[in-house]
């Protein structure tokens, strides 16, 4: 990926999260929504994850659909292949190597030993990504909302000052 492409991708993720932050959700709801999305997206759901997103968004009113779906931008299909490779490597470290199989020859059709290593590693990475996602988005949301509150207070004070000054100049 070129620098320009990464920059556009980063701006897209930032834009989606910015839109989610402007919704009427608390930082915990936003970060929880993104973290749930990160967990589901990290797992090998083969498209069923999107169905889970719709169901979660429909059933739970506290879930920010924008934050939930923003996680797909971070853990997109291109990134997931790297996640799967790291998952298999982690599973192999934890459970030991599979005889006669190299990292280049990994596929679901290669056998249950490989699938188990892939899923164990993937589950661990998904949990780590979920925790990290929650913390990062929570901090961003808190910072964003405190900045938004400060800007709203400033705007309100300016309006009060203008109104007060206008009424004083009219009466004086």
């Amino acid at each position: 990926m070129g620098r320009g492409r990464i920059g556009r991708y980063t701006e897209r993720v930032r834009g989606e999260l910015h839109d989610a932050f402007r919704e009427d959700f608390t930082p915990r709801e936003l970060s929880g929504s993104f973290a749930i999305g990160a967990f589901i997206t990290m797992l090998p759901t083969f498209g069923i994850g999107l169905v889970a997103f719709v169901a979660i968004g429909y059933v739970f009113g506290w879930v920010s659909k924008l934050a939930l779906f923003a996680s797909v931008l971070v853990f997109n299909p291109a990134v997931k292949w790297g996640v799967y490779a790291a998952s298999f490597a982690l599973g192999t470290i934890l459970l030991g190597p599979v005889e006669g199989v190299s990292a280049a020859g990994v596929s679901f059709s290669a056998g249950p030993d490989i699938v188990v290593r892939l899923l164990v590693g993937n589950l661990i990475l998904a949990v780590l990504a979920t925790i990290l996602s929650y913390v990062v988005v929570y901090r961003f949301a808190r910072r964003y909302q405190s900045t938004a509150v400060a800007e709203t207070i400033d705007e309100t004070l300016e309006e009060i000052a203008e109104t007060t000054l206008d009424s004083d100049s009219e009466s004086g």
Side-chain angles (χ1 to χ4, degrees), residues 66-147:
L66 283 174
L68 189 69
F69 281 97
S71 65
V72 175
L73 295 175
V74 176
F75 302 107
N76 62 54
V79 172
K80 285 183 83 165
W81 288 110
V83 170
Y84 294 151
S87 296
F88 179 72
L90 180 59
T92 300
I93 290 169
L94 295 172
L95 302 175
V98 177
E99 246 182 80
V101 175
S102 68
V106 174
S107 73
F108 278 117
S109 63
D113 290 338
I114 291 173
V115 172
V116 167
R117 280 154 181 78
L118 179 67
L119 292 176
V120 165
N122 194 249
L123 186 60
I124 291 168
L125 291 179
V127 169
L128 293 174
T130 300
I131 293 166
L132 182 63
S133 295
Y134 183 91
V135 170
V136 169
V137 173
Y138 181 79
R139 288 184 178 178
F140 282 149
R142 289 278 312 259
R143 187 174 306 141
Y144 181 87
Q145 288 184 351
S146 66
T147 302

Side-chain angles (χ1 to χ4, degrees), residues 33-52:
S33 300
F34 189 89
I36 290 168
F39 182 78
I40 292 170
T41 305
M42 288 281 292
L43 297 175
T45 59
F46 306 108
I48 295 173
L50 292 177
V51 174

